[in-house]
Amino acid sequence: VQLQASGGGLVQAGGSLRLSCAASGQTFGNFVVAWFRQAPGKEREFVGAIRKSGGKTYYADSVKGRFTISGDNSKDTVYLQMHALKPEDTAVYYCAAAFALSWLSDEYNFWGQGTLVTVSS
């Protein structure tokens, strides 16, 4: 499956942004679709994930209550809705897919190209 992430941009602190992750070549099916982010000079970190089968979601503590992951099966797209953005949320955001849930980026088989989110103070 090929993943295409989009929706990044520049936003002021406290603002909102929605990222999209579209699948092509194969449907998401029973995949777990996750969002990771990588800030300059830092390691890639888990943001959240959704089980496409059943829709259960998981979030990192740093974004819980501010970010929401959802899926649109008709468009084979997963969204990351981000609210109350903070400067520390600035990073390149990646979507990824795997057959099982993991907080480790190495466990994900398929990756989108990343989209930059910049939050100004």
Side-chain angles (χ1 to χ4, degrees):
V1 59
Q2 289 81 47
L3 306 181
Q4 179 76 32
S6 61
L10 174 64
V11 63
Q12 289 188 332
S16 300
L17 208 58
R18 189 179 77 163
L19 306 184
S20 300
C21 178
S24 62
Q26 184 178 341
T27 65
F28 277 130
N30 292 323
F31 279 110
V32 171
V33 181
W35 289 94
F36 288 82
R37 66 185 182 186
Q38 188 164 18
K42 295 188 176 181
E43 293 187 355
R44 193 168 297 189
E45 66 171 349
F46 176 84
V47 174
I50 183 169
R51 291 188 185 276
K52 289 300 288 150
S53 176
K56 187 171 176 61
T57 54
Y58 309 82
Y59 300 97
D61 288 343
S62 59
V63 306
K64 202 172 292 183
R66 299 189 298 124
F67 291 10
T68 302
I69 297 175
S70 62
D72 185 337
N73 290 335
S74 67
K75 298 181 179 179
D76 225 5
T77 299
V78 169
Y79 302 101
L80 176 65
Q81 178 69 55
M82 305 183 290
H83 294 297
L85 283 161
K86 305 174 183 180
E88 51 263 45
D89 293 318
T90 295
V92 177
Y93 283 70
Y94 299 88
C95 61
F99 297 107
L101 176 67
S102 175
W103 281 257
L104 302 175
S105 59
D106 288 349
E107 300 295 317
Y108 285 79
N109 312 89
F110 308 98
W111 288 85
Q113 81 287 5
T115 184
L116 176 62
V117 172
T118 303
V119 184
S120 63
S121 57

